[in-house]
Structure formats: C-alpha cells, structure tokens
C-alpha cells in the first residue's frame, strides 16, 4: 500500500496572502506526481503533472516544485484570492497510471 | 473544452439492489478509470480499463463490481448487490493515451446513497 500524505489538512488564509502546502510520496518507483484542484460539486481539475526531479511548473499564481529523491512536492499560491478556495489533491501514479491520492489540503481564502 | 460526463449526479438505492453508474469519457481518450471517495476518506482507485478489458483493479473491486464499454462511448460501473458501505462519491476519469506526463480528466461524480 502506497503512502501519499498531504499537509496541512486545511488552511485558512486572508486574501492576498501567499501560501504553500506539501505532498509526500514514496521516493522509489517514481513515474510522476499529479496535482489537482477540486472545487465543491465540481470535478477535480488537473493543475500539473510533474515528472522530473527538480521540476518547477507554473500556472498563473500557482506553482509547484518536485523533489523525487526525498519524495515531496510543494504547491505554492501567490497572492491568494477567494476563487482559489478549493481542495488541492496530489496523486501518485503507478506504472499503469493507477492514481493513489493524498488526503487533500482544503484551502479557504477569506476576502 | 471536452469533458467527462457522468449520470446520474445522485442515485439513491435500497441495499441489495443493482445499480449502474454511467460515464461518457472524452471522445478520443483510450484509458478509462473509476475511483470513489467515501465521506471523510481519501479518493480510492477501483479499476482501470483499456482496449475493452480491465487492465488493473484494486482489492475493493470484488465480484460485486463490473465495468463495461457497451457502445464505444459509454463506460459503465455496475454494482450487483449494493451494501451500505458502497455509499460514496464515484468518479469516472479518462486519459488520452499511454504517454507519460498526462493527467486524468475527471467527471463531476455520482453520489451513491445506499439505504
């Protein structure tokens, strides 16, 4: 059983704050690391698929880094906005692309 | 942008009844998946499907579960005799091909409530 963990479980920030959260995953048999953004009553939406150690990806105010040797990825949000409020999931695929999910970080941004 | 669609959005069923959850994956996608999330728990993998057969399944996916792609567009999950513990949100996902570095595209989910 693969262990994919996310911290913190939930986070409350003020609009304009920058924030970050962590996903840890097994450092062996690494294929990729996925990040998804999941708003209530909607489908999880892919943010990033990271494949190389040292990868850094960016989409607007959201960016992610990857360390495959130590088994962690950080997701950063710069200048949080209320519309960033969502659950952020990381997922670790096996060779067959079966995803093992972390528990998610629930972000709430107060105006 | 093309999307994965799931029906119904909410299904309420008596324990012991059969239920079929339906999904229409993105049309040029070749790999299909079902996941579920029991309230308060992590999203869990159930099964993956490629080339008209199951490619991988989890321990959860026992003989009560089956999947089918009956007509080249729909992808269904059947639970033969539902139990209370089958109550969960069920997500369908699809992926374009076997190349690395691709995300899965998820539907909005079906909330299954077993009474």
């Amino acid at each position: 059983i693969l262990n994919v963990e996310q911290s913190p479980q939930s986070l409350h920030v003020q609009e304009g704050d920058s924030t970050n959260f962590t996903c840890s995953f097994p450092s062996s048999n690494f294929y990729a690391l996925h990040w998804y953004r999941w708003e209530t009553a909607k489908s999880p939406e892919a943010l990033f698929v990271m494949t190389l150690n040292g990868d850094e990806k960016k989409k607007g105010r959201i960016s992610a880094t990857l360390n495959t040797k130590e088994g962690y990825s950080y997701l950063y949000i710069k200048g949080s906005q209320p519309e960033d409020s969502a659950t952020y999931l990381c997922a670790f695929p096996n060779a067959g692309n079966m995803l093992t999910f972390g528990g998610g970080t629930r972000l709430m941004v107060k105006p | 942008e093309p999307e994965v669609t799931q029906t119904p959005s909410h299904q309420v069923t008596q324990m012991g009844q059969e239920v079929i959850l339906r999904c229409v994956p993105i049309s040029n996608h070749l790999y299909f998946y079902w996941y579920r999330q029991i309230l308060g728990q992590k999203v869990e993998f159930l099964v993956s499907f490629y080339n008209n057969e199951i490619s991988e399944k989890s321990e959860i996916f026992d003989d009560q579960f089956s999947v089918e792609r009956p007509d080249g567009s729909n992808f269904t999950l059947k639970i033969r005799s539902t139990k209370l513990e089958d109550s969960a949100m069920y997500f369908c996902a699809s992926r374009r091909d076997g190349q690395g570095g691709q995300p899965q595209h998820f539907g909005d989910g079906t909330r299954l409530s077993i009474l």
Side-chain angles (χ1 to χ4, degrees), chain B residues 34-84:
Chain B
W34 283 101
Y35 294 85
R36 77 174 186 190
Q37 188 191 34
I38 294 170
L39 192 63
Q41 297 185 22
K42 291 181 179 180
V43 176
E44 305 171 288
F45 167 79
L46 293 176
V47 66
S48 58
F49 192 86
Y50 169 69
N51 202 24
N52 281 320
E53 59 184 27
I54 290 173
S55 41
E56 195 166 3
K57 60 183 181 179
S58 70
E59 288 175 358
I60 304 166
F61 195 89
D62 61 20
D63 292 344
Q64 298 285 34
F65 291 87
S66 62
V67 288
E68 205 176 33
R69 188 157 160 80
D71 56 11
S73 63
N74 289 284
F75 178 51
T76 60
L77 175 70
K78 184 194 288 187
I79 310 175
R80 255 178 278 283
S81 177
T82 49
K83 306 184 194 96
L84 292 175

Side-chain angles (χ1 to χ4, degrees), chain A residues 4-5 34 36 38 42-44 46 49 51 94 96-99 101-103, chain B residues 33 35 37 42-45 48 56 91 95 100-104 106-108:
Chain A
V4 180
E5 299 296 336
H34 294 210
Y36 292 88
W38 187 14
K42 294 189 178 178
S43 56
V49 177
T51 54
N94 67 0
N97 216 253
M98 173 199 110
L99 295 177
F101 282 87
Chain B
Y33 308 84
Y35 294 85
Q37 188 191 34
K42 291 181 179 180
V43 176
E44 305 171 288
F45 167 79
S48 58
E56 195 166 3
F91 290 99
R95 192 166 71 106
Q102 287 181 33
Q104 293 180 19
F106 286 82
D108 288 348

Side-chain angles (χ1 to χ4, degrees), chain A residues 37-50:
Chain A
R37 180 173 178 276
W38 187 14
E39 284 183 74
T40 305
K42 294 189 178 178
S43 56
E45 171 202 351
L47 287 173
F48 305 113
V49 177
M50 309 186 76

